[in-house]
């Protein structure tokens, strides 16, 4: 499962990016079957899909009392860490999907 999380921030650009056919196809080509998006206060609503036709299954939600289970279940995490997150001090190495 691919888990995308914004926390409580608004980041429409990231939600729109992972909702594109190209990103979904790349994830599917890499063997992922499920995409779950945790959104903050975005105004953009991604397209849900059950994956019945063999495509990537897509679901989203705006609030959960805990995302720990999603984090444990994810094979790939895509996150907006925020400007002041400790991970942004340069010691965190980022990985990108695609070219």
């Amino acid at each position: 499962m691919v888990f995308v999380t914004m926390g409580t921030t608004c980041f429409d650009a990231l939600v729109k990016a992972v909702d594109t056919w190209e990103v979904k196809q790349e994830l599917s080509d890499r063997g992922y079957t499920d995409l779950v998006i945790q959104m903050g206060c975005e105004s953009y609503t991604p397209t849900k899909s059950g994956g019945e036709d063999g495509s990537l299954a897509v679901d989203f939600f705006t609030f959960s009392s805990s995302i720990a289970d999603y984090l444990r279940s994810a094979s790939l995490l895509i996150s907006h860490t925020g400007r002041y997150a400790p991970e942004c001090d340069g010691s965190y190495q980022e990985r990108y999907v695609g070219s």
Side-chain angles (χ1 to χ4, degrees):
M1 183 235 326
V2 177
F3 183 54
V4 182
T5 179
M6 283 359 108
T8 59
T9 62
C10 298
F11 200 176
D12 276 337
L14 181 55
V15 177
K16 287 179 184 178
V18 298
D19 195 36
T20 62
W21 180 87
E22 293 83 3
V23 169
K24 291 177 191 175
Q25 187 62 48
E26 182 70 27
L27 292 171
S28 184
D29 289 349
R30 290 175 181 253
Y32 296 104
T33 57
D34 297 278
L35 172 65
V36 178
I37 305 167
Q38 177 275 316
M39 304 187 324
C41 58
E42 283 73 24
S43 59
Y44 178 79
T45 302
T47 306
K48 283 191 176 191
S49 168
E52 295 86 8
D53 60 355
S55 63
L56 193 68
V58 180
D59 197 8
F60 66 89
F61 62 91
T62 56
F63 177 77
S64 175
S65 59
S66 173
I67 61 170
D69 288 340
Y70 293 100
L71 294 171
R72 277 190 289 274
S73 299
S75 299
L76 176 64
L77 174 65
I78 301 172
S79 176
H80 169 59
T81 59
R83 183 175 173 189
Y84 300 106
E87 302 88 60
C88 296
D89 66 1
S91 62
Y92 176 75
Q93 187 176 32
E94 298 175 357
R95 288 187 54 188
Y96 298 94
V97 174
S99 54

